[in-house]
Amino acid sequence: MEPRGLFGSRREAASSAATCSRRRSLNVVFFFFFPLLIVAAAAGNTTAAAAAAAARVAVDVGVILDLATALGKKSMLSMEMALEDVYAAHPEFATRVALRARDSRGDVVAAASAAIDLIRNENVAIVIGPQSTLQAEFVTYLANKTKVPVITFSATGDAVTRYHVPYFIRACSKDSYQVASIAAFVKAYEWRNVVLVYEDNNYGVGILPSITDALQGVGVNVINRSAFPAYSPNNHIDVELYKLMTMQTRVFIVHMLPARASRLFARAKALGMMTKGYVWIVTDSIGIVLDVLPQHSIESMEGIVGFRPYIADSTRITDFSSRFTTLFRTKYHPNTDIRMAKPTIFQLWAYDVAWAVATATEKVHRTRSLNPTFHPLGNIGKNLVDDLPALPAGPELLNSILQGEFDGLAGQFRLIDRHLQVPTYEIVNVIGEKTRVIRFWSPDSGLTMSMNSTTIHGDAKFSTSSSELKNIIWPGDSTTVPKGWDFPVNAKILRIGVPLRHDFKTFVNVEINPNTNRSTVSGYSIDMFEAAVKKLPYALRYEYIPYDCAGSYDQLVSQVFFKKFDAAVGDVTIIANRTRYVDFTMPYTESGVSMLVLSKSDDEPTTWIFLQPLAKDLWIATMIFIFFTGLVVWVIERPINRDFQGSKWKQCITAFYFAFSTLTFSHGQKIQSIQSKIVVSYTASLSSMLTAERLQPSVTDLKQLLANGDSVGHQNGSFVQSILKKLKFDDHKIKVYSTQEEYAKALRMGSKHGGVSAIFDEIPYLNSFCSKYGREFQMVGPIDRTSGFGFVLPKGSPLVPDLSEAILSLTEEPERLKIEKTWFMDSSLDYYGSHSKGSSRISFQSFQGLFIIVGCLLGAVLLINFSKFLYDKCKEMRGFGSDRVHRGERVVCFGEAQPQPPQIVMVDRQSCAC
């Protein structure tokens, strides 16, 4: 046996040694050839990458920006970052977009030239830009001609899409989208008048129709439009601003590009227009860049309110902003303020546009072949535009961009009608060097406190009040909400026209001192105006200017319309024709036109008035009915009722009384005498008639006047004349009067004697007349409705709502009653022209006939009853005398001599006669 050692037998050791030798040989071969294998693999990968790169299609995309501006530089950097990110996320894309940038230098002609150069020489498939709305107009025409899609992320003006431009795409919010949010904000603070301040070019003018309609839709008036030339010097800006200072309105809506807006606010601050009481609202073109403006610019804008599309914060946006700020400072301005290096919404839109273009070109490349050169190089004629050929792949590229939808940095990228979907707007307030979000607005919810808020008052967009908004720091570091208007810096005393009346001076009475030529104005209308002015939360300086209206208040109203007067105070009626030229406060008197007629009393001094409870025919019918009823009652009651029994005369009287008493409801009374019951019944009926008020108008119906051909009258210069003509009164039947005395005289004369049967006038005038002449005349109506008397003010005057509110408060206070008692003499005449109390005195003559008949009746009844009493008494005495005769006594009857001293005599029964 072979001995075994530590490692086994010798054979095993030899075998093991051979195996180890082979392993060492293989290791040497592996380590020698492995680097060669790595180099070979790397060479293979490089060859594959080179082959893939060679297979990619380069797509030239034109970019037109103002590269000298911050917006241009930032937007170009944002698009470069987007292309880098999209191809890093999708390395498999077979296309690569190459940006061919051109600097428009802020010039419209340069932008148009750049577009032609890109399409003709660079053969671009798509054009991004241009940067401004003014530059985009020609480029859109060029896009339609060549079928090269043009997509912009910053040209927000409405003027670009005024016409049909199918190859123009706006991947940003349109200016007109924000007007509803601005109108809702103005409505929430109840400002009624605004001034639009805008650039004097197509960009500035483009928003005017939409914002004017939106404001008017919520009851806000655009009382002025102030246009600022784009490149006007500071002194020209100062002139325009001073014009705004001379106006009453203090709410300004500014629509400008940021650079020009910065100059405007700098000059406004220098002129003292960024102080307490002013309201400055800026559109999104300014609101978007408020966070990146230079410090000196933002300092002059403190207190303004801006609008901009809302972009929700996200980690993706935070990472992008950090990268962007670093790259921008490194590439352009290493020492710039970090505030100015931050991206804005425009950069987010630019990023999404570059991403959309990259994905759209890739999608089109899959369906058709895209070559680097899209247009054959032909001979270009003199007409640069007409000779440009159309891009074959243009329609497919356009549809690919329009149908693209993805989650972009600025939110969901989705185009509707070639526009980015309407965004939610946030409202910001500039405080110091920062902006603070105070509110949000969306088409569905209107104004809300936060993005999670629901509609506060139903689903109305304009229902939220300012009390639900966060506190705003207004210009001048004020927390008090401005009232929206104030007296101009050159405020003069308001010239208030008052009518110079010759009658009805209860309302306006102008007395001119011949020595001093000064006028004193008084009257009900004047007292009401001055009482309303005292309730205003501010002082109002004014002076009265008498004006002779020549019989028509339309002339006084026209003086306010032509700004000869700042207002008119007096008995001016609010009618539709006048409201087209001026504004009125709410009425301070009753409305309507009534008819004044002569009173006719039913208590005419007639002897036989007591017969008037019933008419003649009714008297006859009543008597027949009484006898018939009595007969029926007698037939029914005689067998069973003791009251209907007895002598025939008694039965007849009882039946007659019962039938009569059914008319007067007196049969239940405990009166035994038939005569008493009849007297009481008729007296009660007559008393009811005579104690009622018996005054009645002589005319109660217009048809009566027209049918009789009566004459009617009206006040000189009154619009009532037109009403009478509409009622079809003949011209020769219409008479004109100027004084209250003429009213009374004409009505007393009547139409048959040269006067009138009725006078038509407004209720306040007739109230004044009745307070003077009392119950001799009466009002009938109203015949026609009007709005009453109001104070006249220019269209859009901020005094209208304030004075109207003051007048309304006066109606709830005793001060108004005090004013009415001062100017209306009849204390029983209430506000509506009716008498609240009073009595009509009835004369003795009205009862003369009644007293005669009743007196005779009472005398007859008394004589009958007295005779009956004597009869019964004598009858009783005769029975008593028989007994006395038997006892020897003498009975003395009336008319006999006094009895003698008693004597005893004997007489028979026939010796006494009564």
Side-chain angles (χ1 to χ4, degrees):
M1 295 264 319
E2 186 175 349
R4 296 179 64 85
L6 182 64
F7 297 97
S9 64
R10 292 179 179 177
R11 288 182 182 179
E12 290 175 350
S15 175
S16 176
T19 301
C20 291
S21 177
R22 288 193 298 271
R23 286 177 179 173
R24 285 193 296 267
S25 298
L26 290 173
N27 288 336
V28 171
V29 172
F30 177 77
F31 285 111
F32 179 78
F33 287 106
F34 182 72
L36 298 177
L37 292 174
I38 292 176
V39 173
N45 289 337
T46 303
T47 304
R56 292 180 185 134
V57 175
V59 180
D60 291 326
V61 173
V63 178
I64 304 176
L65 295 172
D66 300 336
L67 296 177
T69 63
L71 177 58
K73 294 175 182 178
K74 289 182 177 181
S75 299
M76 190 67 194
L77 176 60
S78 181
M79 287 187 288
E80 292 171 352
M81 294 174 63
L83 293 178
E84 181 180 345
D85 293 346
V86 70
Y87 293 129
H90 301 282
E92 74 279 3
F93 277 10
T95 57
R96 290 294 184 270
V97 169
L99 299 178
R100 307 299 181 187
R102 294 290 186 273
D103 187 3
S104 61
R105 301 187 300 276
D107 184 70
V108 176
V109 177
S113 177
I116 295 175
D117 176 58
L118 289 171
I119 294 175
R120 185 183 67 180
N121 298 328
E122 297 292 345
N123 302 305
V124 296
I126 299 172
V127 174
I128 299 177
Q131 182 171 312
S132 69
T133 302
L134 299 177
Q135 300 170 7
E137 291 194 56
F138 177 78
V139 177
T140 55
Y141 170 74
L142 190 64
N144 287 349
K145 180 66 179 178
T146 61
K147 291 183 171 47
V148 175
V150 174
I151 181 169
T152 182
F153 57 85
S154 58
T156 60
D158 292 71
V160 182
T161 53
R162 188 176 301 168
Y163 307 104
H164 183 61
V165 281
Y167 280 85
F168 178 79
I169 303 172
R170 195 199 305 269
C172 57
S173 63
K174 190 166 64 169
D175 284 341
S176 58
Y177 289 164
Q178 63 186 314
V179 298
S181 61
I182 295 175
F185 181 79
V186 174
K187 175 66 174 179
Y189 284 95
E190 298 182 353
W191 295 316
R192 298 177 177 87
N193 301 300
V194 299
V195 175
L196 298 181
V197 180
Y198 58 94
E199 285 189 31
D200 193 10
N201 51 36
N202 284 349
Y203 166 74
V205 173
I207 198 175
L208 296 184
S210 57
I211 196 171
T212 301
D213 291 343
L215 291 170
Q216 290 179 347
V218 296
V220 178
N221 299 317
V222 178
I223 64 170
N224 192 37
R225 299 176 179 180
S226 183
F228 285 76
Y231 301 101
S232 57
N234 288 343
N235 61 331
H236 288 178
I237 296 177
D238 292 348
V239 170
E240 291 297 323
L241 288 175
Y242 184 76
K243 291 179 181 179
L244 299 181
M245 295 174 65
T246 60
M247 301 174 58
Q248 290 183 331
T249 303
R250 290 292 181 264
V251 181
F252 306 110
I253 300 177
V254 181
H255 180 62
M256 290 181 173
L257 293 177
R260 287 146 197 172
S262 298
R263 293 181 59 208
L264 173 73
F265 284 107
R267 299 312 306 161
K269 184 175 183 180
L271 295 176
M273 298 182 68
M274 299 299 296
T275 56
K276 183 178 179 180
Y278 284 88
V279 178
W280 293 92
I281 300 172
V282 297
T283 58
D284 61 3
S285 59
I286 306 169
I288 288 174
V289 299
L290 286 176
D291 292 321
V292 299
L293 287 176
Q295 182 177 358
H296 65 86
S297 296
I298 199 66
E299 286 178 352
S300 63
M301 298 182 182
E302 187 172 1
I304 70 171
V305 175
F307 289 75
R308 62 191 184 192
Y310 168 72
I311 304 297
D313 291 333
S314 64
T315 303
R316 188 179 175 193
I317 291 180
T318 303
D319 294 341
F320 170 79
S321 298
S322 178
R323 290 169 49 209
F324 181 91
T325 303
T326 302
L327 289 174
F328 182 78
R329 298 183 71 185
T330 302
K331 185 175 182 180
Y332 293 105
H333 300 286
N335 299 323
T336 188
D337 183 3
I338 191 173
R339 166 192 174 89
M340 299 177 61
K342 292 180 180 179
T344 66
I345 299 174
F346 286 124
Q347 280 69 66
L348 303 184
W349 284 333
Y351 184 97
D352 292 345
V353 164
W355 192 291
V357 169
T359 55
T361 54
E362 176 67 19
K363 182 178 179 181
V364 172
H365 175 70
R366 295 173 185 172
T367 58
R368 62 176 298 158
S369 176
L370 292 178
N371 297 317
T373 302
F374 284 80
H375 302 298
L377 295 176
N379 295 326
I380 304 300
K382 294 181 178 180
N383 193 326
L384 299 179
V385 177
D386 292 339
D387 291 338
L388 287 176
L391 176 66
E396 289 84 354
L397 284 171
L398 176 66
N399 291 330
S400 180
I401 296 173
L402 294 176
Q403 295 172 6
E405 187 173 347
F406 59 90
D407 291 328
L409 279 182
Q412 185 73 11
F413 185 91
R414 183 163 58 95
L415 298 171
I416 301 175
D417 193 21
R418 297 178 176 82
H419 294 83
L420 199 65
Q421 61 180 350
V422 179
T424 298
Y425 280 86
E426 63 180 10
I427 308 171
V428 297
N429 180 212
V430 177
I431 304 175
E433 299 179 4
K434 299 180 180 179
T435 59
R436 183 185 66 159
V437 179
I438 59 173
R439 202 67 172 171
F440 297 91
W441 179 90
S442 65
D444 297 327
S445 300
L447 291 175
T448 54
M449 291 293 296
S450 66
M451 289 309 300
N452 296 326
S453 300
T454 57
T455 305
I456 297 178
H457 299 289
D459 57 358
K461 297 182 183 179
F462 311 112
S463 58
T464 305
S465 66
S466 60
S467 61
E468 296 160 342
L469 301 177
K470 291 181 180 179
N471 291 332
I472 297 178
I473 305 299
W474 304 98
D477 198 27
S478 173
T479 57
T480 302
V481 177
K483 62 178 177 288
W485 74 279
D486 204 346
F487 292 107
V489 293
N490 61 341
K492 61 180 180 179
I493 299 176
L494 296 181
R495 293 170 53 85
I496 298 181
V498 293
L500 196 61
R501 293 202 58 104
H502 301 290
D503 197 58
F504 290 98
K505 295 183 179 182
T506 302
F507 296 95
V508 179
N509 183 25
V510 179
E511 297 180 355
I512 300 178
N513 190 325
N515 298 325
T516 61
N517 201 29
R518 292 182 180 180
S519 58
T520 302
V521 183
S522 61
Y524 176 75
S525 299
I526 302 301
D527 284 358
M528 287 296 296
F529 174 74
E530 292 178 351
V533 168
K534 291 179 181 178
K535 291 188 171 296
L536 297 178
Y538 44 83
L540 192 67
R541 301 175 59 194
Y542 57 88
E543 63 177 348
Y544 296 119
I545 309 296
Y547 180 76
D548 192 349
C549 304
S552 175
Y553 278 6
D554 289 339
Q555 296 185 18
L556 178 62
V557 172
S558 66
Q559 295 301 306
V560 178
F561 173 73
F562 291 116
K563 302 187 184 304
K564 299 296 181 62
F565 291 140
D566 299 307
V569 173
D571 46 341
V572 183
T573 306
I574 305 171
I575 57 178
N577 184 52
R578 293 170 180 170
T579 57
R580 294 189 298 177
Y581 306 99
V582 295
D583 282 344
F584 285 87
T585 63
M586 71 169 296
Y588 62 90
T589 63
E590 186 190 3
S591 62
V593 174
S594 288
M595 182 170 61
L596 181 69
V597 298
L598 197 64
S599 295
K600 182 182 67 172
S601 175
D602 281 352
D603 295 330
E604 295 178 359
T606 173
T607 302
W608 305 107
I609 188 174
F610 67 93
L611 294 176
Q612 290 185 3
L614 301 177
K616 181 179 179 180
D617 54 349
L618 188 57
W619 270 114
I620 298 173
T622 302
M623 297 305 297
I624 296 175
F625 176 80
I626 287 175
F627 282 110
F628 181 74
T629 304
L631 178 62
V632 173
V633 171
W634 177 76
V635 171
I636 297 174
E637 294 290 331
R638 183 175 177 276
I640 61 176
N641 194 334
R642 182 177 298 176
D643 293 336
F644 288 85
Q645 297 176 358
S647 64
K648 296 185 182 294
W649 174 250
K650 179 181 177 183
Q651 296 179 31
C652 181
I653 293 298
T654 301
F656 171 78
Y657 162 72
F658 186 86
F660 181 82
S661 64
T662 58
L663 302 179
T664 60
F665 302 97
S666 63
H667 50 276
Q669 298 177 357
K670 296 180 180 181
I671 299 176
Q672 300 300 321
S673 174
I674 296 298
Q675 298 95 325
S676 299
K677 291 181 179 180
I678 294 177
V679 171
V680 168
S681 299
Y682 186 79
T683 304
S685 176
L686 185 63
S687 299
S688 174
M689 175 196 71
L690 292 176
T691 54
E693 193 169 349
R694 309 301 298 169
L695 289 177
Q696 297 293 333
S698 58
V699 179
T700 59
D701 193 1
L702 285 173
K703 294 180 180 179
Q704 179 182 350
L705 295 173
L706 292 170
N708 296 337
D710 292 339
S711 297
V712 295
H714 66 85
Q715 187 180 163
N716 184 27
S718 175
F719 69 94
V720 175
Q721 181 179 10
S722 61
I723 297 178
L724 295 177
K725 290 183 177 180
K726 290 180 181 179
L727 295 174
K728 298 183 179 180
F729 282 99
D730 295 336
D731 291 341
H732 66 280
K733 295 290 184 179
I734 301 176
K735 299 184 179 182
V736 180
Y737 302 102
S738 300
T739 65
Q740 294 182 359
E741 289 73 14
E742 292 179 354
Y743 276 19
K745 181 179 179 182
L747 287 172
R748 288 165 179 163
M749 292 173 60
S751 294
K752 296 180 179 180
H753 300 90
V756 294
S757 298
I759 287 185
F760 293 81
D761 209 341
E762 295 173 76
I763 292 176
Y765 295 125
L766 299 183
N767 282 342
S768 175
F769 178 89
C770 291
S771 68
K772 179 178 179 180
Y773 284 89
R775 308 175 66 87
E776 183 182 356
F777 304 92
Q778 280 191 326
M779 292 168 51
V780 179
I783 305 301
D784 190 63
R785 294 289 181 182
T786 63
S787 298
F789 293 164
F791 304 132
V792 186
L793 293 160
K795 275 287 187 182
S797 173
L799 280 173
V800 173
D802 293 342
L803 281 175
S804 296
E805 184 177 353
I807 293 172
L808 183 61
S809 66
L810 280 174
T811 60
E812 303 171 357
E813 298 180 1
E815 184 177 359
R816 176 165 191 160
L817 295 177
K818 182 179 179 181
I819 296 174
E820 290 176 355
K821 289 181 179 179
T822 301
W823 293 102
F824 296 103
M825 294 181 296
D826 188 358
S827 60
S828 67
L829 187 71
D830 63 14
Y831 180 68
Y832 298 99
S834 61
H835 289 266
S836 58
K837 62 182 181 178
S839 61
S840 57
R841 311 184 75 179
I842 305 176
S843 63
F844 173 81
Q845 189 176 3
S846 299
F847 286 92
Q848 182 177 356
L850 178 63
F851 286 149
I852 294 173
I853 294 179
V854 173
C856 295
L857 178 63
L858 291 176
V861 171
L862 180 62
L863 181 61
I864 293 173
N865 281 272
F866 186 71
S867 300
K868 181 181 178 183
F869 171 76
L870 293 179
Y871 175 78
D872 293 338
K873 191 67 176 177
C874 288
K875 186 176 179 181
E876 178 183 353
M877 290 299 295
R878 185 167 51 175
F880 178 69
S882 300
D883 295 338
R884 293 182 63 184
V885 169
H886 286 288
R887 295 194 302 268
E889 298 179 359
R890 174 140 183 190
V891 179
V892 180
C893 294
F894 290 99
E896 293 186 358
Q898 293 295 328
Q900 299 295 324
Q903 296 180 359
I904 299 175
V905 295
M906 298 296 294
V907 294
D908 59 8
R909 294 181 178 179
Q910 285 76 22
S911 62
C912 180
C914 294

